[in-house]
Amino acid sequence: MKALAPGSVIGILGGGQLGRMLALEAARLGFDVHIFCPEPDSPAGRVSARQVMADYDNLEALTVFARDCDVVTYEFENVPVMAVEAVIDAGTHVRPGAKSLQVSQDRLTEKTFLNEIGIPTVAFRALETGDHLPEALNELGGAGILKTRRAGYDGKGQILLRDPDPDTSARAKALASEVPCILEAFAPFEREISAVVTRSEAGTVAFEPSENDHDNGILRCSSVPANTTDEVRSVAIDAGTRLAEALDHIGVLALEFFVMPGGDLLANELAPRVHNSGHWTPDACDTGQFEQHIRAVAGWPLGPVTRRFDVVMENILGPEIEAVPNAYNGADRLVSYGKRGAPDRRKVAHVTKRITLVR
Ligand code: AMP
């Protein structure tokens, strides 16, 4: 694809905060952004040049949208694959393509793909019915996490099975009988890190891996540098790079890992998009993840990603937003997503705190 000239139109499927931060960076580089999103009043739509409100199965709306855009990207992995195919059928490039979505939308497909390209994960079993749960749990050593194969995020659709408890077992059995699930072995990890990489037609550039702290499945904070060895960091970056190549992915991609005692890495989850654990990059690096993604999808050269200081990024959840006007005075960098209301435990803003200057 030829490099897009400023003034070209970049379409985004999805209207959440990631779309909003992409749209703001795209506008800074001179592009017009067009948002396709089923919800009215979306965080991304409100900062973009254009928006259309329609469902992802509305072929007519997708075709018109595709023809209005010079290239289309997506900001979350649960966009139906058929929506991406409809845009491609209308003659517009989608970057990243359908394969990254297909692989990441289903935890079984995702883990199988990672293992096939030599990236280890926790052991897992696919479950078609809850009847097989006790046997599968036994095979995985007696402790595991049951997850829905599709549509889970931020720890939703997950049940921890560690200490025998009849109520939890019954809930897990019911969930596994209701929707296709995967049972993962419980990983007694030391810490969690993620690699955020950007691939363009010319090659891949990786940010330094961050260390990520979760609370009840939701990311609370990412710190850089991660408290681990250079070797662990480079294994993470190699895996992210290999994955981006295997998916023929154009744009940003994140791969989350468990760091096990002894330093082995097990991949947990991939996100075919800009990622919460990369929110520190626009402030701490020469080029942040949102600009890199826009550069990649527009066919521009990627920017340098040197980090200028140590940094901690903290998420602000739900009602915590009420403290924002008084709590942050500009010394730390605040990004607020403009969500209406303050939905409980949903991500509504983040703040990036500089720790020390890197010498
Ligand atoms: P996920 O939605 O798969 O990213 O899971 C959210 C968080 O739950 C992870 O970041 C971990 O903190 C925890 N978790 C998920 N899967 C496992 C596992 N197999 N073993 C231990 N902890 C897990």
Side-chain angles (χ1 to χ4, degrees):
M1 201 183 92
K2 234 174 88 209
L4 294 185
S8 304
V9 179
I10 297 184
I12 303 180
L13 294 163
Q17 68 262 25
L18 299 177
R20 181 180 174 102
M21 290 181 268
L22 285 169
L24 291 169
E25 281 305 297
R28 191 173 61 77
L29 297 176
F31 296 108
D32 278 358
V33 172
H34 191 3
I35 300 292
F36 188 107
C37 167
E39 290 90 37
D41 210 26
S42 68
R46 299 210 309 283
V47 301
S48 295
R50 302 181 60 184
Q51 58 178 312
V52 56
M53 199 185 88
D55 288 328
Y56 293 119
D57 59 2
N58 184 335
L59 285 182
E60 207 183 313
L62 285 163
T63 304
V64 174
F65 170 74
R67 294 194 178 137
D68 284 342
C69 298
D70 295 296
V71 69
V72 168
T73 186
Y74 45 83
E75 60 108 46
F76 78 120
E77 58 275 33
N78 290 324
V79 171
V81 172
M82 59 133 305
V84 165
E85 286 168 351
V87 173
I88 297 169
D89 287 347
T92 304
H93 286 286
V94 180
R95 297 180 133 183
K99 186 169 181 188
S100 299
L101 271 190
Q102 253 152 5
V103 169
S104 60
Q105 277 180 354
D106 180 330
R107 290 182 191 275
L108 179 62
T109 318
E110 178 179 75
K111 286 200 161 54
T112 308
F113 187 82
L114 288 166
N115 289 172
E116 274 169 11
I117 61 167
I119 299 176
T121 62
V122 290
F124 58 90
R125 296 285 183 276
L127 290 177
E128 294 301 334
T129 141
D131 293 342
H132 299 144
L133 185 58
E135 185 191 338
L137 192 61
N138 214 14
E139 285 170 12
L140 297 179
I145 301 193
L146 182 74
K147 300 181 181 179
T148 55
R149 276 172 55 177
R150 290 178 166 268
Y153 68 98
D154 284 351
K156 290 190 173 39
Q158 301 191 6
I159 300 177
L160 173 63
L161 297 161
R162 200 153 47 160
D163 309 308
D165 159 46
D167 275 1
T168 315
S169 305
R171 263 194 314 125
K173 195 171 165 190
L175 180 65
S177 299
E178 210 174 292
V179 285
C181 282
I182 177 171
L183 181 70
E184 295 181 10
F186 182 79
F189 56 81
E190 257 173 11
R191 49 181 45 90
E192 293 181 82
I193 64 169
S194 55
V196 177
V197 305
T198 316
R199 182 165 177 269
S200 72
E201 276 170 357
T204 303
V205 175
F207 294 102
E208 265 178 75
S210 65
E211 177 160 348
N212 307 321
D213 289 316
H214 293 85
D215 175 18
N216 268 324
I218 301 183
L219 182 69
R220 280 304 330 209
C221 129
S222 289
S223 324
V224 194
N227 183 10
T228 184
T229 61
D230 285 347
E231 198 197 329
V232 166
R233 281 189 268 268
S234 88
V235 172
I237 287 174
D238 283 354
T241 304
R242 199 141 30 95
L243 176 60
E245 278 162 12
L247 290 170
D248 200 16
H249 186 93
I250 299 288
V252 170
L253 166 154
L255 186 55
E256 295 180 81
F257 301 90
F258 302 133
V259 185
M260 303 303 287
D264 283 347
L265 284 181
L266 298 177
N268 174 36
E269 194 169 38
L270 93 88
R273 52 166 169 81
V274 286
H275 193 248
N276 195 169
S277 70
H279 284 4
W280 58 276
T281 58
D283 301 319
C285 298
D286 291 335
T287 316
Q289 63 166 347
F290 304 103
E291 176 171 349
Q292 283 294 58
H293 185 76
I294 296 296
R295 285 177 162 275
V297 303
W300 288 19
L302 299 181
V305 293
T306 311
R307 178 170 59 86
R308 293 186 293 266
F309 44 84
D310 293 357
V311 67
V312 173
M313 185 285 309
E314 287 176 11
N315 276 335
I316 296 171
L317 304 181
E320 291 166 9
I321 193 81
E322 284 157 28
V324 157
N326 296 320
Y328 303 105
N329 59 13
D332 302 322
R333 187 130 176 104
L334 171 73
V335 180
S336 197
Y337 309 150
K339 290 189 180 167
R340 302 289 192 215
D344 200 29
R345 304 273 300 158
R346 292 296 299 277
K347 296 165 184 168
V348 291
H350 68 265
V351 63
T352 313
K353 300 178 171 178
R354 296 176 179 207
I355 306 300
T356 54
L357 283 178
V358 173
R359 271 171 249 288

